[in-house]
Amino acid sequence: MTVAAKSEIQIDNDEVRVTEWRLPPGSATGHHTHGMDYVVVPMADGEMTIVAPDGTRSLAQLKTGRSYARKAGVQHDVRNESTAEIVFIEIELKA
């Protein structure tokens, strides 16, 4: 059984929403669609499994401080199938 990832909203104003995500081993965010463009800032090295709506799986390597950006509309489930906790900051752009 998969446990839920933990999130904590740090900032939520008219321009941005900043959320810290923690995925212990065996956890997942659940399938979701990003409604806004967003930037991810990894806080630790790690490897996460991305599951697309059609079930296709891919691995994403995270490097501490090495950010990446995605456009609104991305649909996926983020899973931690590794043995180390995954931690990242997600910055959603509202404006």
Side-chain angles (χ1 to χ4, degrees):
M1 179 168 193
T2 303
V3 297
K6 298 172 184 168
S7 65
E8 178 185 348
I9 295 174
Q10 297 179 346
I11 299 171
D12 193 358
N13 60 33
D14 291 341
E15 291 85 30
V16 299
R17 180 184 302 134
V18 177
T19 306
E20 179 187 66
W21 284 94
R22 291 186 169 271
L23 286 82
S27 67
T29 61
H31 280 282
H32 60 279
T33 302
H34 286 269
M36 297 174 258
D37 294 352
Y38 65 101
V39 176
V40 171
V41 183
M43 303 306 289
D45 290 354
E47 179 179 87
M48 58 188 184
T49 302
I50 308 299
V51 182
D54 67 1
T56 303
R57 300 164 67 86
S58 61
L59 294 178
Q61 298 297 320
L62 300 177
K63 292 290 181 192
T64 304
R66 191 97 189 214
S67 304
Y68 65 88
R70 299 286 182 266
K71 291 291 193 182
V74 171
Q75 297 180 20
H76 58 207
D77 181 14
V78 177
R79 298 178 160 268
N80 184 355
E81 297 176 341
S82 74
T83 58
E85 182 177 52
I86 295 169
V87 181
F88 60 88
I89 301 294
E90 178 182 75
I91 304 162
E92 297 173 286
L93 308 173
K94 295 182 179 181

